[in-house]
Amino acid sequence: QRVLRLAEMCRRLETEEEKVLPFYPSSLAEGEQQDVQRVLEEMPVEPLAQAMRDYVGLEQFWQRFNKAKLEEQALERERVALSRKNGRLRELLRQYLAGISVSQEVLGQPNPL
């Protein structure tokens, strides 16, 4: 009961696009989809299968949650890569500025000029 209420609450928070469009296109053939639907409609006999049936309503929530986590990881990797690139660019800029300026510190170090 609580799971169904939670699934309904999540459904109300979905955008119109999320409600209309399927989350993932199915890679199953038409016959396979019919087999899956038939199996889902059968009442399970094992206790674990019966318990899992109660949580079917949250499947879309977990798909979206996992997609968001994957996007978060991808963005973190991109942030790290951009941070490294930023460090390299800063170092090149520092070297360039040191090369075009004249000071005692610069004259004491190897210089591209």
Side-chain angles (χ1 to χ4, degrees):
Q1 287 278 339
R2 292 170 71 191
V3 173
L4 291 176
R5 278 187 267 143
L6 182 59
E8 290 171 9
M9 195 168 56
C10 290
R11 179 77 175 154
R12 278 185 266 146
L13 296 174
E14 291 178 351
T15 65
E16 280 300 314
E17 184 179 347
E18 290 171 335
K19 289 178 182 176
V20 174
L21 298 176
F23 186 68
Y24 289 116
S26 178
S27 59
L28 298 176
E30 184 64 33
E32 292 171 324
Q33 286 179 349
Q34 290 172 353
D35 291 342
V36 167
Q37 190 61 37
R38 186 176 29 80
V39 168
L40 286 174
E41 290 171 357
E42 293 175 2
M43 282 304 289
V45 214
E46 296 112 12
L48 179 60
Q50 290 173 345
M52 287 178 62
R53 188 172 177 85
D54 294 339
Y55 292 92
V56 169
L58 291 176
E59 181 179 343
Q60 195 170 35
F61 164 78
W62 286 114
Q63 285 178 339
R64 292 181 196 282
F65 178 82
N66 290 334
K67 183 175 185 284
K69 286 305 240 182
L70 286 172
E71 287 176 1
E72 179 185 21
Q73 288 178 354
L75 288 172
E76 178 60 25
R77 286 186 185 140
E78 185 177 355
R79 186 193 66 76
V80 168
L82 289 173
S83 180
R84 284 189 200 127
K85 187 175 182 178
N86 185 28
R88 286 192 302 268
L89 290 173
R90 285 179 183 270
E91 179 59 26
L92 289 172
L93 180 60
R94 188 191 62 72
Q95 289 173 6
Y96 171 76
L97 292 174
I100 64 170
S101 64
V102 178
S103 70
Q104 284 294 10
E105 184 181 329
V106 171
L107 292 175
Q109 298 176 354
N111 191 310
L113 296 176

